Amino acid sequence: RDLNAQVDLEKRSVGEVVGGLRGSMVQSQTAVRQIGRRTLEHLWLVGVSLGFSIFVGIPLGILAVRHSGYGQVILTLSAITQTIPSLALLCFLIPVFGVGEKPALAALCLYSLLPVVLNTVTGFRSIDARHLENARAFGLTPAQILLRIELPLASPALLTGIRTATILSIGTATLAALVGAGGYGVPIVSGLSLNDVPTILTGAIPAAVMAWIAHIGFNVLGRLLIPAGLRAV
């Protein structure tokens, strides 16, 4: 109806109207492709930092619980890293890694450590010592105690730390555009430089949606991974 109105009422030619329609369709398809590409870049940045927080942060948290001397050093260094402004940390890492993905990934990995390490320490220290004594009395090895007793009992705190690190990484990864690492920060930075709110929203809204989806996903994981008796705790 709109196209017919342009021909009948505005007296535009059919070719002109169809040409305008094709142009708008091409622009829409280009915008969708750009958002898709930025989504993949953002997922890569967040995924690497998430894997680092799990495979490095949890062992560091366990080491901090097992050895109090190391624990103070680990927690202190993690906390100090978290207090450094993200832009400043990126600037510090550029001389080491150059410009691009490497400094952005290094910064995101460092920022993701504290929530996971701290929640791992909290979860393990909250375990009732009687459970560990009973496990040793039944003849369980240290590895069996870790996998069958400690990790399941600490799983609510562990999952909370990983959830926090993931959502923080989704937000912080938007700054990766400043060093040429891509992601949703590209349209945000471009929109800010041009004072163009719609362009800013093409990066801000997908980032918010990704954080919301991550929050829901961790709720589902909590039901699957956390023992039923601990879900209400």
Side-chain angles (χ1 to χ4, degrees):
R1 288 199 300 268
D2 292 336
L3 297 177
N4 288 332
Q6 292 180 36
V7 174
D8 296 334
L9 302 179
E10 300 177 12
K11 305 304 181 182
R12 298 173 62 184
S13 67
V14 174
E16 183 182 359
V17 171
V18 173
L21 176 63
R22 289 175 178 171
S24 62
M25 291 177 63
V26 170
Q27 290 178 354
S28 299
Q29 292 173 355
T30 302
V32 170
R33 285 197 295 267
Q34 288 179 348
I35 293 175
R37 186 179 67 177
R38 300 305 178 197
T39 299
L40 293 177
E41 293 172 350
H42 213 80
L43 284 173
W44 166 251
L45 294 171
V46 174
V48 172
S49 64
L50 176 61
F52 182 85
S53 68
I54 293 173
F55 293 107
V56 176
I58 293 178
L60 284 177
I62 296 174
L63 179 63
V65 174
R66 297 283 194 264
H67 305 279
S68 58
Y70 292 134
Q72 292 298 324
V73 175
I74 292 171
L75 291 175
T76 300
L77 291 178
S78 300
I80 291 174
T81 303
Q82 194 75 21
T83 59
I84 301 175
S86 52
L87 287 176
L89 184 59
L90 284 173
C91 292
F92 294 152
L93 293 173
I94 286 175
V96 179
F97 296 102
V99 176
E101 283 188 353
K102 291 181 179 179
L105 290 173
L108 289 172
C109 289
L110 292 175
Y111 272 119
S112 67
L113 271 183
L114 181 61
V116 177
V117 172
L118 188 59
N119 278 271
T120 300
V121 172
T122 301
F124 271 70
R125 286 180 177 174
S126 64
I127 298 173
D128 192 333
R130 291 175 295 181
H131 298 317
L132 305 180
E133 293 175 1
N134 292 334
R136 296 188 191 96
F138 280 111
L140 271 66
T141 63
Q144 291 173 330
I145 293 174
L146 174 64
L147 296 175
R148 298 184 182 182
I149 307 297
E150 291 177 303
L151 285 176
L153 289 176
S155 59
L158 291 176
L159 201 60
T160 299
I162 296 172
R163 182 210 305 263
T164 303
T166 301
I167 294 177
L168 286 175
S169 294
I170 292 173
T172 308
T174 57
L175 297 175
L178 297 174
V179 292
Y184 290 140
V186 173
I188 294 176
V189 173
S190 299
L192 288 173
S193 63
L194 299 173
N195 196 21
D196 185 357
V197 175
T199 301
I200 295 173
L201 293 178
T202 59
I205 292 177
V209 171
M210 182 180 289
W212 177 69
I213 292 174
H215 176 72
I216 294 176
F218 276 105
N219 286 338
V220 175
L221 280 177
R223 297 189 185 98
L224 296 176
L225 299 180
I226 298 176
L230 298 176
R231 290 175 194 164
V233 177

